[in-house]
Amino acid sequence: MALPTFDYVKAASLDEASELQKKAGNTAMIMAGGTDIIPLLRDRKRTELKTIIDIKGIPGLDGLTYEEGKGLKIGGLTKLYTIQNDPVVNEKNKAVADAAHYVASAQIRRKGTMAGNICNASPSADTAPILIAMDASVKIYNKETGERTVPMDDFFTGFKKTAVVPENGDILTEIDIPDLGPGEGSAYLDHSVRKAMDLAIVGVAAWLKMDGRKVEDVRLALGGVAITPIRAPKAEAFLKGKELTDDVLEQAGEIASGECSPIDDVRASAEYRTDMIRVYTKRAVKKAADSIKA
């Protein structure tokens, strides 16, 4: 199917992109990788779109850096394939690389960005749960108001909505992921029908801080089981202060499964998703604990 007619603008700066976006409102869309925009245009899901603002030529947005004790900084134009294969990411926080790897196919990951993946705001977005579990934050630029930082806990504001408000001229420029400290580990697991080119039926991310054999702190994030990715605060509270025995892991999975509100759709029933949260929460917590370096 041919794409509809639209105006293409290649922005030279963040200020230009922000100004263009605000002026056009919901009739324009920012393009980084383009892997979400092209299907929207092709399938006529955003018939109001008249302008595509390409930001790929703006300097300073494509990059990945790591600082000991602070963590990873991922630019808004950094490709998922780069994150997936970066040796530093794989060494310092493999769960982040794993989440990038789960997105679609190798071809899509060579074009798509992590920033685009979360801005698309699919409830099943693979990179969202690990960013929430890691207590990551994003930087959002606006020509009129400047730069602001938003914690990932506050990023998703509703179904397909985020703290990035295009009509205001907002552009996500950076994702900041804290470093894993002593006694800390993380994991992300995705369950889908196929290994590639499929949205997650469920996704579970876990971050743990252990004090010897007991859980000192924990963050659990679930994808595909609500209108946005969510935390599992009751399961987190249950795990704190406990040793990770098989029985404790089973109970944590049961509690997490009771905190979600999935829907029935063509990919899975609500009942199946709920049970998979039980299973994958157990696995993610155990994997996070096993990842902690001695």
Side-chain angles (χ1 to χ4, degrees), residues 186-241:
S186 61
Y188 176 69
L189 294 174
D190 158 297
H191 174 53
S192 55
V193 175
R194 299 177 295 178
K195 291 185 178 179
M197 296 305 295
D198 206 359
L199 288 172
I201 292 174
V202 300
V204 179
W207 168 85
L208 290 175
K209 183 174 184 180
M210 301 296 291
D211 181 8
R213 297 174 61 87
K214 293 185 178 180
V215 177
E216 180 178 332
D217 200 3
V218 56
R219 293 171 65 91
L220 301 173
L222 317 177
V225 292
I227 62 171
T228 68
I230 60 171
R231 292 276 295 277
K234 293 179 182 177
E236 292 172 353
F238 169 78
L239 284 167
K240 289 178 183 178

Side-chain angles (χ1 to χ4, degrees), residues 1 4-6 26-29 37 39-51:
M1 182 184 291
T5 300
F6 60 87
N26 68 353
T27 67
M29 195 169 182
I37 291 180
L40 286 175
L41 291 168
R42 180 196 63 206
D43 299 336
R44 272 62 175 178
K45 291 183 177 180
R46 289 282 304 274
T47 56
E48 77 279 9
L49 283 179
K50 304 299 180 185
T51 304

Side-chain angles (χ1 to χ4, degrees), residues 30-226:
I30 295 290
M31 181 171 73
T35 57
D36 289 317
I37 291 180
I38 298 304
L40 286 175
L41 291 168
R42 180 196 63 206
D43 299 336
R44 272 62 175 178
K45 291 183 177 180
R46 289 282 304 274
T47 56
E48 77 279 9
L49 283 179
K50 304 299 180 185
T51 304
I52 300 302
I53 304 167
D54 189 344
I55 65 169
K56 291 194 291 293
I58 298 177
L61 296 182
D62 188 358
L64 193 162
T65 60
Y66 170 77
E67 186 175 349
E68 193 77 38
K70 291 188 176 180
L72 295 164
K73 292 185 181 296
I74 299 174
L77 293 177
T78 307
K79 304 294 187 292
L80 289 158
Y81 196 82
T82 300
I83 300 166
Q84 167 194 335
N85 291 286
D86 187 273
V88 175
V89 178
N90 277 275
E91 177 190 354
K92 298 298 183 179
N93 198 331
K94 192 174 185 308
V96 175
D98 289 344
H101 171 73
Y102 277 121
V103 179
S105 66
Q107 295 93 329
I108 296 295
R109 294 191 296 273
R110 285 181 181 273
K111 294 290 291 181
T113 64
M114 182 176 279
N117 188 241
I118 61 174
C119 283
N120 188 45
S122 167
S124 299
D126 275 305
T127 62
I130 189 60
L131 294 178
I132 294 171
M134 282 300 305
D135 199 22
S137 61
V138 301
K139 290 181 180 176
I140 300 171
Y141 182 80
N142 185 289
K143 182 183 178 181
E144 294 187 357
T145 59
E147 184 179 76
R148 68 185 189 274
T149 298
V150 177
M152 281 301 299
D153 269 343
D154 300 327
F155 183 73
F156 297 101
T157 58
F159 179 66
K160 303 291 280 185
K161 293 182 179 181
T162 74
V164 177
V165 184
E167 304 92 284
N168 292 345
D170 289 349
I171 301 171
L172 194 154
T173 58
E174 185 176 283
I175 300 169
D176 296 334
I177 307 173
D179 206 1
L180 287 169
E184 296 178 5
S186 61
Y188 176 69
L189 294 174
D190 158 297
H191 174 53
S192 55
V193 175
R194 299 177 295 178
K195 291 185 178 179
M197 296 305 295
D198 206 359
L199 288 172
I201 292 174
V202 300
V204 179
W207 168 85
L208 290 175
K209 183 174 184 180
M210 301 296 291
D211 181 8
R213 297 174 61 87
K214 293 185 178 180
V215 177
E216 180 178 332
D217 200 3
V218 56
R219 293 171 65 91
L220 301 173
L222 317 177
V225 292

